[in-house]
Each structure stands twice: as structure tokens, then as C-alpha cells.
Amino acid sequence: PAFLINSFICCSFFVNMDYQHLPKIELHLHLDCSLSYKVVQQIDPAVTYEDYCHSFVAPPHCTDLLDYLTRAVKGFELMQTKEQLRLVTLDLFEQLKADNVIYAEIRFAPLLHLGKGLSPVEVVETVDAAFTEGKAMTGMEGGLILCTLRNYTEEQSLETVKLVQQFRGTNVLAFDMAGDEAGYPVAAHVKAFQFAKDNGIHCTCHAGEAKGPESVWDTLGQLHPTRIGHGVRSAEDEKLLDHLVKKDIHLEICPTSNIQTNIFRSIEQHAADKIYRHGVSMSINTDARTVTPVTLSSEYNKLQDVFHWDKAHFLQCNLEGIRHSFTTEAVKQKIAARIQEAYNNC
């Protein structure tokens, strides 16, 4: 009967939905890990596509997070002048626009970009100005997160968080700690995160990626962020998952990146579905659009195929993402309304 045929067609469309055209939120995205080949060619025409694929893009399975991070070096090496920083920032806006991202928080470590004489203030000023240019060019909303790194000294972390304070009122929204989680404890960064807390600075922090749930407990207990970058190994501890729900801690989950860093051997083993079903606030993110060569659209389609997620799952993740974003309440409400309307009309 025609009714059954039409029902089958509708069901098939729903299951195999293409999410590229729907608006999206991206909360966990590293600027220096997201250089397209086009912008690399602009900055250094000597880099061939083969060089790019070998040195800028991580393989499907790295040994560990530290192995994965070696690919980031090539990115920030090409981001040492004001013009290079501007080009890379605008290039990322073009990538996000093509992926229908309407709100993004982009993070970078200012102290990685001093190799050709720029001061940390000049680095942040340049990226902030380029971010404003990118917003005008694309109509996107968002902000910047300044990162300290696990291997940095206490002084370097304090210098970075004080840049967040200095640039309050610009596109700079928050403070983060990234880097080699397994190799460095949080002790050297406690003062920086305490400074953030004392001054009302929003914080996220990488944890539960290269180390297990004990790293998340330690990070929450000593640094007190409201979001955790990755955090997927929280799934190994039911009490931790309950704690995340109770305290409304948001996890910025990056599925394919976690396969590359050898946390999970395959997407089928990934903890995203378990974390979602436990009721933890979470969003789906790319982490890096070069080192991890994905888009949000491709990540959504992967989770749809493997875990049979549908638009209700992605609507929830996007709404939770904007709720836990570091922007103003007015922007949150505006973006949430756009997301809700688009998914309702899908």
C-alpha cells in the first residue's frame, strides 16, 4: 500500500539523514591543529600535498596522545607572524561556515607563537582581530579560549590566564589547559586556575583522555572547571558519571580524535553513547580539523551509523553545548532558538 511505502521512505530518510545542512555548535577546536592545505600553501608553497598528509594529519591510530600531538607542531610553526595568524584564523572560519557551524569556541596557546618576535599580547590581539573579521565575514558567533599547556611552568600558566583577564570584553572568553595529560600532573597549574576562579574567568580543562577517571577527579578537585575537554574515560567510573550529572559538568567529546589517540580501538568501542545515556551533559566536537581530518557533519553521520543516533540526540548535544558555552546569555538564547527551530523544521 502507498501508506506503507511512504512510511518506509520517511523512515529510511530519517535513519540515513545528512546533517551537513543543520546548524551546529563546536566547543572544542584547536586553531593550530586545523590548517587546511589551502592556507598551508599560502604560507609555505614548498609544502606538497604529500608532505601535508604526512606531517600535519595524524594516522587513524597513533601510539598515544603524545604521538598524536607531534602533528600539531607543523601547524603552530606556520603561525608565527601577524599575517600568518590572521590567515589561519580566517581559513578556519571558512571551514566552519562550510560545515554549517553557527557558534564556535576556538582555542590556542598564545605562548606557542613567539618564535619570530611577537609578544603574547600581540599574538592575542592579532587572533582577536582576525576572529572579529571572521565573524563579520561568515555571520558566525563564538569566542576564543586561551590555553596553557601541561608542560608549562606555574609562571607560564599564570601569564596565560592573566592574558584572559587582560582581554576581557573582547572575543576572549575563557581559559583552558591542554597537552600531555599522562606526562604532567596539575600541580603547576593550580595557582592559574585559582586566579581564574578569583576573577570570574570561565574555565575548561583537558582530562580523562590520556589518563583514566582519576585524572578527571583530580582536575575537578584541584582546578574546578565547569567543562572537561574530552573526559571520555569518565565512563570507566559510574560514581564519576553520577558526579558529572549532579554537578552539571559538561564533557566536550571528540569521537574520531579519541580513536586516533588510541583511547578506543574503534568507534564501536567509543564511550559517547554510554555517557549520553547516563544523562551527562555533552557535546560532539572535532578537536582538530587537520590532525583529525573530520567535520562535525561527518562525526554526526558516524555516530548515527554506529549508535543509531538520530536528530534528537544531536539536538540535545547542541542545546547542551550552547547552554555550557562561555558567551553571554543573550547570545545563548539566540543560538539555542536557531538550533531548536532548524531541528524542528527538519
Side-chain angles (χ1 to χ4, degrees):
F3 171 78
L4 291 179
I5 292 171
N6 289 336
S7 297
F8 176 77
I9 291 170
C10 289
C11 261
S12 298
F13 172 75
F14 182 72
V15 170
N16 299 298
M17 189 170 175
D18 179 6
Y19 289 93
Q20 196 281 329
H21 69 285
L22 283 170
K24 304 171 192 68
I25 308 299
E26 173 97 89
L27 294 186
H28 192 116
L29 179 58
H30 291 270
L31 180 63
D32 55 346
C33 299
S34 300
L35 286 71
S36 73
Y37 181 57
K38 183 182 80 170
V39 81
V40 169
Q41 274 273 288
Q42 281 182 272
I43 295 170
D44 185 358
V47 177
T48 67
Y49 187 67
E50 289 72 21
D51 294 335
Y52 175 78
C53 292
H54 179 265
S55 301
F56 289 77
V57 181
H61 292 284
C62 297
T63 306
D64 51 23
L65 176 61
L66 199 56
D67 181 24
Y68 175 89
L69 291 174
T70 61
R71 277 76 182 181
V73 175
K74 287 294 185 179
F76 68 73
E77 283 180 345
L78 296 184
M79 299 167 61
Q80 299 298 324
T81 70
K82 291 183 178 181
E83 182 59 15
Q84 289 171 352
L85 288 165
R86 175 180 174 272
L87 287 172
V88 169
T89 304
L90 293 180
D91 173 70
L92 184 50
F93 266 91
E94 289 182 9
Q95 295 179 54
L96 292 169
K97 180 70 172 178
D99 199 18
N100 215 345
V101 174
I102 63 170
Y103 180 92
E105 291 178 359
I106 299 171
R107 60 190 73 192
F108 70 103
L111 303 190
L112 288 178
H113 306 282
L114 313 181
K116 291 193 176 179
L118 292 178
S119 70
V121 169
E122 287 176 316
V123 170
V124 179
E125 284 177 340
T126 301
V127 178
D128 177 53
F131 198 95
T132 297
E133 187 179 349
K135 288 198 296 185
M137 178 179 74
T138 62
M140 280 177 47
E141 301 274 3
L144 295 166
I145 299 174
L146 305 189
C147 297
T148 187
L149 299 179
R150 289 239 177 197
N151 60 297
Y152 279 0
T153 64
E154 183 174 273
E155 292 73 22
Q156 288 173 306
S157 275
L158 283 167
E159 182 178 10
T160 304
V161 75
K162 288 177 181 177
L163 284 169
V164 181
Q165 172 79 339
Q166 181 177 343
F167 281 85
R168 190 186 292 270
T170 67
N171 293 301
V172 176
L173 300 179
F175 180 57
D176 176 32
M177 179 173 68
D180 180 12
E181 179 187 4
Y184 296 88
V186 302
H189 309 284
V190 171
K191 285 188 178 179
F193 278 86
Q194 186 61 50
F195 178 92
K197 185 177 180 181
D198 292 344
N199 289 276
I201 294 171
H202 296 298
C203 291
T204 182
C205 187
H206 286 60
E209 182 185 16
K211 290 184 71 176
E214 70 278 4
S215 174
V216 179
W217 281 118
D218 192 37
T219 298
L220 293 173
Q222 295 200 60
L223 306 184
H224 311 290
T226 58
R227 288 171 17 194
I228 293 289
H230 299 287
V232 289
R233 295 191 64 185
S234 302
E236 299 169 20
D237 183 342
E238 293 286 325
K239 289 183 178 178
L240 177 54
L241 290 177
D242 291 340
H243 180 78
L244 296 173
V245 173
K246 181 179 178 181
K247 298 297 183 180
D248 195 25
I249 304 297
H250 183 84
L251 300 188
E252 308 157 358
I253 291 179
C254 311
T256 299
S257 170
N258 299 153
I259 309 306
Q260 287 180 290
T261 55
N262 209 21
I263 300 171
F264 307 101
R265 290 304 299 169
S266 68
I267 194 67
E268 288 80 8
Q269 296 177 357
H270 199 281
D273 190 58
K274 178 178 179 179
I275 291 167
Y276 183 96
R277 286 187 285 106
H278 202 93
V280 177
S281 177
M282 59 175 278
S283 55
I284 300 300
N285 305 275
T286 61
D287 194 18
R289 287 169 176 255
T290 296
V291 182
T292 300
V294 296
T295 64
L296 278 182
S297 301
S298 67
E299 292 293 84
Y300 286 16
N301 286 326
K302 191 173 295 183
L303 293 173
Q304 173 186 254
D305 291 343
V306 172
F307 297 120
H308 308 295
W309 280 22
D310 57 33
K311 70 174 185 177
H313 292 81
F314 298 113
L315 172 60
Q316 176 73 5
C317 287
N318 277 284
L319 291 177
E320 284 298 300
I322 197 60
R323 184 169 73 86
H324 284 269
S325 67
F326 296 136
T327 189
T328 65
E329 287 302 318
V331 172
K332 288 183 182 185
Q333 291 176 17
K334 181 174 71 172
I335 297 297
R338 286 184 62 185
I339 294 285
Q340 187 74 64
E341 180 181 13
Y343 278 75
N344 286 348
N345 292 333
C346 176

